[in-house]
Structure formats: C-alpha cells, structure tokens
Amino acid sequence: MLSLVTCALLTCNTAVGVEVSDFDSIKLYTLKNQNEMVVDITNYGATITSIRVPDRAGNIADVALGYRSVESYINAIDRPYFGSVVGRYGNRIAKGSFILDNNKYTLATNDGQNHLHGGKMGFDKVVWKAEVLEDSVKFSYLARDGEEGYPGNLALSVTYSLTDDNEIVMHYEATTDKPTVVNVTNHTYFNLSGEGATTINDHVLHINASKFTPVDAGLIPTGELRDVAETPFDFRTPKEIGRDLDAHDTQLKYGLGYDHNWVLDRIDDAVELAAMLYEPNSGRVLEVLTTEPALQFYGGNFLDGRLVGKSGKAYQHRSGLCLETQHSPDSPNRPEWPSTVLRPGEKYNTTTVYRFGVK
C-alpha cells in the first residue's frame, strides 16, 4: 500500500520547513511552521491531504477531509475531489461545450450532460511534477492540446507556501500556445471541529457577496445575478450554515442544500477577503482570501457515509464543506461575465489564501 501516513502524522520530527516522503512517483510533501501547524500535500492531483491546526486551547486537529492511502484517492467512489486541484475548468460547463473564436469545443461530460471539474481525467487524477523550494512546494503539469477536449498545451503550476501567520498561500500560474479557457481551484473539504466530526451545520459562515448565480436543475447558472437580500443565500452577516437549510426555496432544492456560486463584492484585483468560517466549540477560524471574482460554497450535500476518511470514520451528510475560489460556472458560455479566456503571450496568475486562527 502506498501509505500517506508519515512521520508528520506520528510526530517523529517537528522541524520547521519542508519534508518529503517518497512512494515511487507519488510523493507526500509536509510543510511545517513555528506554530505547530502542519500541512501535507501529495503530487497526485496536487492534493492537500491534511491540515493540522490548534484550537483556542492549543489542541491540534486535522481539519481537512481526506484518505489514508493513495489507492483511496485513485479509486474513490463518486469522486469527491478531496483536497485536489481541479481543472482545466473547475465547476461546470453546460452541455460540455463552448465556442471560442468561432470554434466549437466539445468536452468530456462527467456530470450528466455537463462537464465538471475538468472532465473524466481532470487535474485531480494526474501526477504532477514537484519542486521543493525554501519554504514551499511548486507543482507543475502540462495539459496537452485536446486533453478532455480543451484546446492548447497548457503549462500550469501551483505553489503551496505555509507562513508563520498560519496561512496556506496557493499561487497559480499558466501559459498556453493556443487560445483556451482556464479556471483552476482547490477543492479542500473543511470541518473545523476536526476531520470525522459529524456536521458543519453549526459552523458560522460569512461570505462577502451581495449577489449569487441561481442555477437550473442541473446546477448550471441561469445567467441571472440575484440579490442575496431576504434569501437563504445572504451570508453578508455571519450565520450558522444550518439556519436556513430547511427554507422553502427552489435553489436549495436544486442544490440539495448549498452548492452555489457567489459573486464577490470586490474592491480591486488584490487579494481580498472572500469568506470567513468559524466553529464556536473549538474556536477555530478560517479566512479565505483571493484574487478571484467568485466563490463556490458547497455544503457536503452528497456525502452519505459511504466514504471512510483517514481517521477511520465515515463521512456523513454535510460533515465537510468547500469554499472554492473561482470564476463563475459556465463562464465560457457567458460572454457578459468576467472572461476565463487565456491567449498565447498572456499569463494566468491568481492567488488564494487559507488563513487559520482562533477566537
């Protein structure tokens, strides 16, 4: 078995910096800082497999859902994308097609008739090249022209850094040799009570957005930008995630809960606060900051107890949530929305930060 359990999990080494555990071509990289925060990342899918942070009493817990072995990531049923980088286009593209420069491109469909998170063999299912830097790890992947239907050879990298401010900084860069579309994100599932806890409904969430994009029954945006005011989608004032889940709302019915895109209230193109998550019992806080224009909040609605995590506990309904920084779903088919087109000579350049703390 290609185990992901390393000295980082067994506390046999507490040095600050980067450690590497070698399992043939698949490796595990461990980032540590001076505050006893530890982050494990594998080059299979550029996947965050563990985030260990203290609570207000100093007790350490892993707050990221995931598996104990590489085989579990490779063979996962229902493909939950735990901790992985997803793309070439994260989220959905309607009917698996788009038109760019008068050329129609047909993509792999893996979500009914729609394209989701890069297709049948997205970035979460490939082995990335890794380079260890002084206090970070850089993962690189060349997505070939025609892969999953996308045009252009896309040279992509994501660099993970861990700061002494308990920040996981993810910086993405990409170039292409043909016009293409790019929308890459990280798909970590969080439970600030600790991985394996039963629910995230008691977590308090703030999203810095006054509009969201309603969807149809296939979770494809309708094109409307709807005000969150007086709807269950208003998280401008922090509230418990479970507070409005039972509201009679067509959008909640379509998503089986929250599985929607919020258009962020941004000031400029800098790294800005998109969302804040708080778990009252532990006191843990997660702030999500980004340069991206939107955020997908997914409440773990499809978790149903069939997936067993690294602690040996089954992941029950809504036992983890995702806060995916992104461009809006189906943007290649919505020219009025911020563009996801990347052309030769241009550079895709975006940053997202997960900042942990307590209160």
Side-chain angles (χ1 to χ4, degrees):
M1 176 178 288
L2 300 177
S3 174
L4 292 178
V5 180
T6 69
C7 288
L9 294 178
L10 301 176
T11 66
C12 62
N13 190 324
T14 59
V16 175
V18 183
E19 294 180 1
V20 183
S21 299
D22 192 344
F23 306 106
D24 297 324
S25 63
I26 297 176
K27 297 180 172 64
L28 187 71
Y29 299 82
T30 299
L31 303 176
K32 303 179 180 182
N33 70 9
Q34 296 178 354
N35 305 318
E36 300 185 36
M37 181 174 172
V38 182
V39 180
D40 292 328
I41 313 161
T42 174
N43 62 324
Y44 182 75
T47 298
I48 295 175
T49 64
S50 177
I51 302 172
R52 299 187 292 286
V53 292
D55 64 9
R56 66 163 67 93
N59 300 310
I60 303 293
D62 188 349
V63 300
L65 276 59
Y67 296 118
R68 194 173 181 85
S69 70
V70 170
E71 289 93 338
S72 294
Y73 284 94
I74 294 172
N75 300 318
I77 58 174
D78 295 338
R79 198 169 178 182
Y81 307 96
F82 288 144
S84 297
V85 169
V86 294
R88 182 178 303 199
Y89 198 95
N91 218 307
R92 292 171 174 85
I93 295 179
K95 299 181 180 180
S97 68
F98 65 93
I99 295 174
L100 176 59
D101 295 342
N102 297 318
N103 296 310
K104 182 176 181 179
Y105 295 97
T106 300
L107 309 176
T109 53
N110 59 322
D111 184 51
Q113 64 178 346
N114 300 318
H115 177 86
L116 174 65
H117 290 331
K120 297 177 181 179
M121 187 62 70
F123 295 165
D124 62 300
K125 287 291 187 183
V126 299
V127 178
W128 296 54
K129 178 182 177 181
E131 178 184 3
V132 176
L133 307 176
E134 182 177 356
D135 59 354
S136 59
V137 183
K138 181 178 182 180
F139 298 96
S140 302
Y141 178 66
L142 178 62
R144 299 290 183 179
D145 183 21
E147 188 172 305
E148 298 297 295
Y150 289 99
N153 292 297
L154 183 77
L156 172 69
S157 69
V158 53
T159 302
Y160 291 92
S161 304
L162 176 61
T163 75
D164 286 329
D165 292 323
N166 286 2
E167 297 173 329
I168 304 171
V169 181
M170 298 166 286
H171 182 66
Y172 304 86
E173 293 184 348
T175 57
T176 183
D177 61 358
K178 291 182 181 178
T180 190
V181 295
V182 189
N183 181 41
V184 183
T185 190
N186 180 274
H187 207 283
T188 295
Y189 289 66
F190 299 100
N191 188 317
L192 298 185
S193 297
E195 173 269 338
T198 56
T199 184
I200 48 80
N201 285 350
D202 59 350
H203 286 44
V204 176
L205 178 63
H206 162 66
I207 301 177
N208 184 30
S210 56
K211 295 183 183 297
F212 76 106
T213 52
V215 295
D216 62 19
L219 300 182
I220 297 296
T222 63
E224 177 189 359
L225 301 181
R226 184 177 297 177
D227 287 342
V228 300
E230 300 182 0
T231 78
F233 296 84
D234 192 351
F235 286 91
R236 292 173 298 175
T237 299
K239 68 178 181 182
E240 287 190 351
I241 289 169
R243 192 184 81 179
D244 296 325
L245 273 173
D246 294 328
H248 294 289
D249 186 281
T250 301
Q251 288 299 306
L252 290 177
K253 178 181 177 181
Y254 284 160
L256 302 180
Y258 294 112
D259 191 5
H260 293 77
N261 173 70
W262 276 255
V263 178
L264 298 173
D265 294 337
R266 298 192 54 86
I267 299 173
D268 53 35
D269 294 332
V271 176
E272 296 176 5
L273 181 68
M276 183 175 66
L277 187 67
Y278 169 58
E279 199 286 303
N281 292 324
S282 68
R284 292 189 181 94
V285 176
L286 167 62
E287 294 176 298
V288 179
L289 304 95
T290 189
T291 57
E292 291 290 272
L295 176 87
Q296 183 87 7
F297 164 38
Y298 167 56
N301 309 319
F302 297 102
L303 298 174
D304 59 7
R306 290 185 296 164
L307 304 178
V308 177
K310 52 201 157 182
S311 63
K313 297 178 181 178
Y315 290 144
Q316 303 296 337
H317 189 224
R318 296 180 180 146
S319 60
L321 64 90
C322 302
L323 297 168
E324 305 158 60
T325 58
Q326 60 179 19
H327 277 62
S328 295
D330 204 31
S331 285
N333 292 311
R334 295 287 176 184
E336 69 274 20
W337 290 358
S339 176
T340 58
V341 174
L342 182 69
R343 299 185 180 279
E346 299 176 344
K347 179 176 283 190
Y348 178 81
N349 193 326
T350 180
T351 300
T352 291
V353 178
Y354 297 150
R355 177 192 293 158
F356 292 88
V358 295
K359 67 177 183 180

